[in-house]
Each structure stands twice: as C-alpha cells, then as structure tokens.
Amino acid sequence: MTFGRFFLLCLLLAGGFAYAVWRGVVDIPDHWNPWAPLDVRQPPNLLTPFKLRALQNDRALCEQALETSELNYRLMPDSTPEPSCPLRNTVRVTNAEVDFSSPFLATCPVVAAYALFERHGLQPAAQEVFGQPVTRVDHFGSFACRNIARSNRRSQHASANALDLAGFRLADGTRITVARDWKGDGDKARFLRLVHQAACKAFNVTLGPEYNAAHHDHFHVDMGGFQTCR
Ligand SMILES: [Zn+2]
C-alpha cells in the first residue's frame, strides 16, 4: 500500500469513527465526546476549551451546561437596558457553592466558565493552600455600558460578557483581596496566583495586577476575543 492510500484509509476510518460518535452509534463518555454538552462536574480535559467555544453562540447548549452546575441562576430575556448596550443570552446569578457580594448579570458563557473555574480551580486552590473552602466571592460587577478605560473600544463589560473578581472569603472568615494580598510570598499571595492560573484556564481572557494599574485590585475575566492570560 502506498503512503497516499494508507493516509486516505486512516482519514476514512477517523471520519467514520467521528460520524459514529456524532450519531450516537459508538458510545464514548460525554466528557470525551465533542458533541456532548459541557458538564461542569467533569474535570476539564483537552476538549473543554472546544466545548466552551461551542456554547458561545448556542444558547440551548449553554443552558444545558449550566444545568450541570451548582449555581443558583435565572435565565434572562434579551433586553436593551441602554441604547448602545443590548444584552443577549444573559443569566442572573444569585449564588453558587459560594455566596457572592451581590447577585450579578452575565452572559451564559461567562457563567458556565465561572462554574468550571469555581469547581476545578478556585476551590481546589483554597483546599491546597488553606485546607478549607471559599465561602464567598467579592466582585466589582459584570455589566457596565462603557468602553475599555482610556480607549474607544467597547469593553466586554458592555455586553455583560465579563466579571471582575476582587476577593475571596474562607470558611473560617479569612479575607483575601487582590488589592492587598497579590504582592508578597505568603499563603494569601500563593493562593491568588493559583486562582489567577485557574481563571486563565477557564476564561478566554484573564487580566490581573501584572497587566496594568487599572487591574491592581481585581482579576478581570471575560469570554470575548483572543486567549489572553496576563
Ligand atoms: Zn473587568
């Protein structure tokens, strides 16, 4: 068999297998099936970024992902709270495994990524460093009809496609804030570095204090544009 024919045969076999998985003829676990909705309970794997991308423009798929989470949320109708900032595919989140400093409105993909981040990044980091869970997340909000600071480009906050994470409280009441604890080499700083890394894995964009002075007191996370981890 020539290399060309061998290559063609492999392509046919791979294509046939993919087709069989897609049609449900071959049964593989959902977390290894690229066409199965994201299940946030499953540990992230190679397919997770692909699945997160898939639910960006698919409201039904995104809602299925949220159903697998511990979040308390309400699906919101599309609206235009301000003329230049229409909101599509948003969810109002009241609480998760943690409480929030206040409920927030964000796009379904941001909320799905948050659910992954909390379960597989934030809580394991708290257990690793402090041996206890995070019970409350303090944030600076998600929706704000505005441009990026000192630019004329629209912020991801203008479509509620972003969230600003400012601090965390542990079960014993310990408070950790990005503003105060990012610098240094103690447990709180180590925890925040793990949280920042975890955010980079879950969200498309994560910007922290190293990025610029505007982010000295929070981690900005969003699901727009290019993969960025700063
Ligand atoms: Zn932000």
Side-chain angles (χ1 to χ4, degrees):
M1 193 184 294
T2 64
F3 178 75
R5 281 188 182 181
F6 178 71
F7 182 72
L8 198 65
L9 185 67
C10 288
L11 212 62
L12 280 171
L13 285 173
F17 183 71
Y19 179 74
V21 170
W22 177 58
R23 292 302 304 261
V25 178
V26 173
D27 209 17
I28 59 170
D30 278 352
H31 57 286
W32 284 114
N33 179 351
W35 292 282
L38 175 72
D39 183 337
V40 301
R41 291 165 298 193
Q42 297 292 340
N45 63 24
L46 287 173
L47 288 181
T48 309
F50 172 82
K51 289 191 178 201
L52 275 170
R53 257 201 311 281
L55 51 78
Q56 294 251 46
N57 298 310
D58 189 331
R59 187 170 190 149
L61 198 63
C62 191
E63 287 172 12
Q64 281 179 285
L66 291 194
E67 280 165 21
T68 67
S69 76
E70 302 285 320
L71 299 173
N72 232 316
Y73 63 92
R74 196 150 46 93
L75 303 170
M76 301 301 285
D78 292 345
S79 66
T80 308
E82 294 183 50
S84 59
C85 292
L87 292 178
R88 303 271 173 272
N89 193 15
T90 55
V91 178
R92 187 177 164 80
V93 183
T94 332
N95 62 285
E97 201 181 299
V98 302
D99 289 328
F100 293 108
S101 46
S102 61
F104 62 90
L105 181 80
T107 59
C108 184
V110 163
V111 175
Y114 173 84
L116 266 181
F117 158 77
E118 180 184 299
R119 187 182 182 104
H120 302 288
L122 179 65
Q123 294 296 16
Q127 289 295 348
E128 183 183 326
V129 178
F130 301 107
Q132 53 176 318
V134 169
T135 53
R136 176 173 148 145
V137 170
D138 297 320
H139 67 84
F140 289 159
S142 46
F143 172 58
C145 188
R146 62 168 174 81
N147 288 350
I148 297 171
R150 287 180 296 280
S151 105
N152 48 19
R153 283 190 301 135
R154 265 300 186 224
S155 162
Q156 290 293 319
H157 285 287
S159 51
N161 201 30
L163 180 64
D164 289 336
L165 303 167
F168 308 92
R169 298 184 199 202
L170 304 177
D172 70 358
T174 303
R175 286 191 65 177
I176 300 142
T177 66
V178 177
R180 202 181 46 213
D181 302 313
W182 175 259
K183 293 197 177 86
D185 46 16
D187 281 349
K188 291 181 176 180
R190 184 158 75 90
F191 167 73
L192 287 176
R193 273 156 220 284
L194 290 174
V195 172
H196 181 270
Q197 281 167 22
C200 287
K201 284 188 191 143
F203 298 94
N204 278 4
V205 173
T206 300
L207 304 174
E210 311 286 313
Y211 177 59
N212 65 16
H215 295 82
H216 74 100
D217 59 354
H218 67 278
F219 299 149
H220 164 99
V221 295
D222 76 55
M223 290 304 273
F226 301 104
Q227 193 77 38
T228 310
C229 172
R230 301 276 300 269

